[in-house]
Amino acid sequence: MASEILEKLQDFSWVVEPHLLLFFVDDIWETWPKEWAEILNSPTRAFLKMAADGTLDPSWPEIFKNMIQTAFNLSIPRANQLYEFVSSYPRTITRHHSSSKISSKKSMEVSNLSAVIVDVVLKNKLNVIVECGSGQGYLTQHLAESLISQFHPIKIYAVDYDKHQTTGSQSRILKAFNLKSQTPDTDYIEITPDHSIHFKTQFISSESLDILIQEIVSESTHNSISILLTGLHTCGNLSSVILTSFAKWKGKGVDAVVNCGCCYHLLTERENTPTYLPKSLPQTETNFYDHTANQNGAIGFPLSKFYQDQMSELEYAQLGEHARVVACQSPFRLSVDLQPYVSESSVDGIPPQLLGHYYRALLQFLFSELDLVKVFPHICTDAGIIRVKRLPKSAYNDENVNENGFVVYATAALKKLLNSGELSVAASALVEWLNNRTDGNVNEGERDLDPLLRKFEQLVCLDYIRKHQLLNPDERETSTSIFKVKKMMVTWYLTRSVIAMLVENVILFDRVLYLRELDGETGHIDNDQMRRFTGNTIDVHLLPIFDVDESPRNLIVVGINKI
């Protein structure tokens, strides 16, 4: 299972490696197999169903269907299995509502992860919890409340790099436990003589976590210390730091780890060679994807010797940051968010929520074609990527109501990025480009962006469709070409979202394999063994504990020392 999934991911990497931002600039559709072009005749809802639950249109090419089916077959089951793990803790787990500001999603995550941690603490008689990336302290508080109710002594260390977070959570927890009269210490709250919370403001690295664990172990001169390391949606390398610290201190003060990771795009890989660069970018330039490489010398992937060896054997240098970015974009919410478009009775419309990639890619192509990257370098990265960032909701027009979606988006972006003088320069460049393409049919003095941008969109999409020979003789060229290009991008996006499940699985499997190797366990492992492992010195679990539609990053890694 572990080896097959990496092999298949390498086979399918051409789907996840390209950035849709460069769809026009690098002509990404060129790599789409020509014999698969016929699937564009299927309604958009067919691809939405495919991404949501693996439903396949019988008319699609067998190779395409096999790729999608393989991705689903190799993916980890995501149905919530919380109650299959938790036994000693009450089966009725209420959502955490300590603050009106906490979202329903966060409440569910805090309550469910807390249930697992408390279960591990009680079963293994642990007496210290170190929460890495404690943030606003919701999990910290819930753990304290739960263990007090179980009459189980505990020290909790809430660690976060942000002083505002640690001081804010300390203040809020004081109020939650009705300790308003207690003078807040900089890093300590005693709730009862047997229950305390210690707040630490520090950046969490392997070195700083080692120092903290050493301090905790050294302070315990009379009682045996047994620590659990944890973190809820720990970003990037932080998950790896937690797991490697558990491995280092296993049996020497640390006896359990419960980790839920996220933000895979921030992981640092062992190999720094980028797997994908824009064709227009010289290979000697700085890669704008892998900006986290060698961050503090930490390594986030692969941790396990199994995957290190297999990637070397396959000559698979790295997953690449864009593949890791894609792994963060879950297909599981599609069936919920886009349900109106999945209905058989709906017209073949494209959900407005999926058109952002199209708008952004077309805007990037505009800057590339008009050579505006060189004219306005202050709004671009070194690789020539425009820094658009966040735009108001009004920039994302509802395409089913108004077909000026790109015009609205591009106008909002240009007005945000450029001043009035720069806008005039951009408009002049666009007029010149259009006149070169239309034999001078555009007024040289035209400065109204709306008609210029509309004409640009029409010409680019028509050229793209003609180049790839996707326009049927009976179709209207202008309107059909725009819709078809949008559909090409959405088809790629939804196909990519399915393959992306394998990227996340490889990252999670690597963490499980790393813990299993602490018991001397190597070799090929099937799906069930990957999710539940009972060794001589360690038990390892890969467990979905959140409702996936509400919280897609719902898998946690649990390791428990047995000696």
Side-chain angles (χ1 to χ4, degrees):
M1 177 72 174
S3 58
E4 183 183 4
I5 197 171
L6 188 63
E7 291 170 2
K8 291 300 181 183
L9 181 57
Q10 185 179 35
D11 291 343
F12 305 152
S13 61
W14 64 271
V15 179
V16 294
E17 285 179 354
H19 202 313
L20 287 181
L21 170 66
L22 302 167
F23 190 81
F24 299 103
V25 172
D26 281 359
D27 191 11
I28 287 174
W29 191 261
E30 185 67 30
T31 60
W32 187 270
K34 289 180 171 53
E35 59 271 23
W36 293 5
E38 65 189 68
I39 70 174
L40 292 175
N41 296 324
S42 300
T44 305
R45 61 177 172 270
F47 300 103
L48 294 172
K49 290 180 180 179
M50 173 197 75
D53 58 17
T55 300
L56 299 172
D57 189 313
S59 68
W60 289 345
E62 287 301 318
I63 298 179
F64 179 79
K65 289 191 292 184
N66 288 340
M67 179 178 71
I68 300 301
Q69 192 62 61
T70 297
F72 273 95
N73 289 344
L74 292 175
S75 294
I76 308 167
R78 295 300 189 113
N80 191 334
Q81 298 176 8
L82 175 64
Y83 288 118
E84 294 182 22
F85 183 88
V86 174
S87 59
S88 63
Y89 196 55
R91 290 181 64 82
T92 302
I93 297 172
T94 57
R95 292 199 173 200
H96 176 67
H97 290 296
S98 66
S99 169
S100 59
K101 295 181 180 179
I102 189 170
S103 68
S104 174
K105 172 179 177 291
K106 187 71 171 180
S107 173
M108 179 268 293
E109 293 167 346
V110 165
S111 299
N112 290 14
L113 185 62
S114 177
V116 173
I117 295 170
V118 170
D119 189 80
V120 173
V121 166
L122 295 177
K123 285 179 179 176
N124 297 278
K125 298 181 174 59
L126 310 182
N127 50 25
V128 176
I129 296 172
V130 177
E131 182 191 353
C132 301
S134 56
Q136 298 178 57
Y138 295 122
L139 178 61
T140 307
Q141 180 185 334
H142 199 282
L143 289 169
E145 291 171 342
S146 300
L147 289 163
I148 288 172
S149 73
Q150 296 292 314
F151 304 102
H152 184 90
I154 199 75
K155 280 186 179 181
I156 301 175
Y157 289 79
V159 189
D160 199 279
Y161 77 97
D162 188 336
K163 182 69 173 177
H164 177 74
Q165 296 276 41
T166 51
T167 56
S169 63
Q170 181 181 359
S171 176
R172 188 180 54 73
I173 291 173
L174 276 171
K175 294 177 182 178
F177 284 101
N178 199 26
L179 299 172
K180 299 177 184 178
S181 60
Q182 181 175 333
T183 303
D185 191 271
T186 55
D187 65 354
Y188 178 76
I189 294 176
E190 182 179 281
I191 305 169
T192 77
D194 291 327
H195 302 88
S196 59
I197 301 175
H198 304 251
F199 296 88
K200 299 286 186 180
T201 302
Q202 63 184 54
F203 177 77
I204 306 169
S205 63
S206 297
E207 293 75 18
S208 65
L209 190 53
D210 274 353
I211 292 170
L212 176 58
I213 293 170
Q214 181 65 61
E215 289 175 356
I216 296 171
V217 172
S218 300
E219 287 172 2
S220 129
T221 54
H222 302 294
N223 300 319
S224 175
I225 285 293
S226 191
I227 301 170
L228 178 145
L229 302 177
T230 191
L232 172 56
H233 287 152
T234 48
C235 289
N237 287 344
L238 181 52
S239 288
S240 303
V241 166
I242 292 171
L243 293 172
T244 53
S245 294
F246 168 76
K248 180 176 181 178
W249 288 89
K250 175 177 169 288
K252 295 178 286 187
V254 176
D255 289 305
V257 60
V258 178
N259 178 245
C260 179
C262 71
C263 302
Y264 306 125
H265 60 294
L266 297 178
L267 280 173
T268 302
E269 298 195 56
R270 290 183 180 273
E271 295 291 341
N272 299 322
T273 304
T275 53
Y276 183 78
L277 285 173
K279 295 175 185 175
S280 55
L281 179 64
Q283 296 299 305
T284 55
E285 294 283 347
T286 300
N287 179 19
F288 71 100
Y289 294 115
D290 281 313
H291 56 82
T292 57
N294 286 327
Q295 186 183 55
N296 298 320
I299 296 298
F301 176 86
L303 295 175
S304 67
K305 186 176 185 302
F306 182 92
Y307 271 144
Q308 290 175 33
D309 291 346
Q310 191 185 14
M311 292 186 82
S312 176
E313 181 182 332
L314 294 173
E315 298 184 351
Y316 193 0
Q318 62 166 194
L319 300 176
E321 187 179 5
H322 187 60
R324 300 192 309 271
V325 168
V326 170
C328 300
Q329 301 168 358
S330 169
F332 301 108
R333 288 194 57 87
L334 290 173
S335 57
V336 176
D337 295 344
L338 304 176
Q339 187 59 42
Y341 297 90
V342 177
S343 170
E344 292 292 343
S345 61
S346 68
V347 297
D348 188 17
I350 296 177
Q353 301 95 312
L354 298 182
L355 288 174
H357 295 288
Y358 167 77
Y359 299 152
R360 184 68 180 81
L362 197 54
L363 182 67
Q364 183 66 43
F365 189 64
L366 183 145
F367 268 69
S368 177
E369 281 290 283
L370 275 56
D371 217 15
L372 296 179
V373 170
K374 295 179 181 177
V375 178
F376 306 123
H378 60 287
I379 63 171
C380 302
T381 67
D382 291 342
I385 304 301
I386 318 164
R387 298 188 183 98
V388 177
K389 297 185 179 179
R390 189 178 298 274
L391 293 176
K393 289 183 179 179
S394 58
Y396 299 89
N397 201 355
D398 187 336
E399 199 75 4
N400 291 327
V401 177
N402 190 326
E403 294 187 357
N404 294 328
F406 170 69
V407 174
V408 173
Y409 173 88
T411 300
L414 290 170
K415 287 183 177 179
K416 174 188 175 181
L417 296 170
L418 306 175
N419 60 38
S420 57
E422 291 169 336
L423 278 172
S424 181
V425 171
S428 296
L430 184 51
V431 168
E432 182 180 355
W433 186 90
L434 291 171
N435 276 331
N436 288 337
R437 300 293 309 280
T438 60
D439 298 325
N441 290 335
V442 181
N443 186 339
E444 291 288 348
E446 178 66 72
R447 289 297 179 271
D448 185 356
L449 283 173
D450 285 12
L452 297 177
L453 290 169
R454 188 174 296 108
K455 189 66 175 176
F456 176 81
E457 178 185 22
Q458 292 170 351
L459 288 173
V460 170
C461 289
L462 187 56
D463 283 351
Y464 208 75
I465 290 295
R466 286 173 173 170
K467 177 178 180 180
H468 293 286
Q469 301 177 348
L470 294 174
L471 193 66
N472 297 327
D474 59 338
E475 292 177 328
R476 294 176 56 195
E477 288 193 347
T478 301
S479 59
T480 301
S481 63
I482 293 175
F483 178 78
K484 213 151 203 175
V485 171
K486 291 175 182 176
K487 196 165 183 179
M488 292 162 73
M489 291 197 69
V490 169
T491 298
W492 195 300
Y493 170 79
L494 295 174
T495 302
R496 187 185 69 174
S497 72
V498 173
I499 307 304
M501 295 189 297
L502 299 184
V503 184
E504 182 178 23
N505 289 0
V506 163
I507 292 169
L508 292 172
F509 281 1
D510 175 58
R511 294 170 182 178
V512 170
L513 289 165
Y514 174 72
L515 294 182
R516 289 171 60 106
E517 288 172 358
L518 299 179
D519 198 58
E521 180 70 24
T522 59
H524 297 283
I525 306 160
D526 64 27
N527 205 338
D528 288 337
Q529 291 175 319
M530 187 63 72
R531 288 181 284 154
R532 291 177 294 274
F533 169 74
T534 300
N536 294 319
T537 66
I538 188 172
D539 288 345
V540 184
H541 302 266
L542 181 60
L543 184 73
I545 65 165
F546 309 141
D547 296 331
V548 70
D549 290 342
E550 192 172 2
S551 181
R553 306 278 78 75
N554 74 333
L555 286 154
I556 65 169
V557 175
V558 179
I560 302 169
N561 178 42
K562 297 172 68 174
I563 57 173

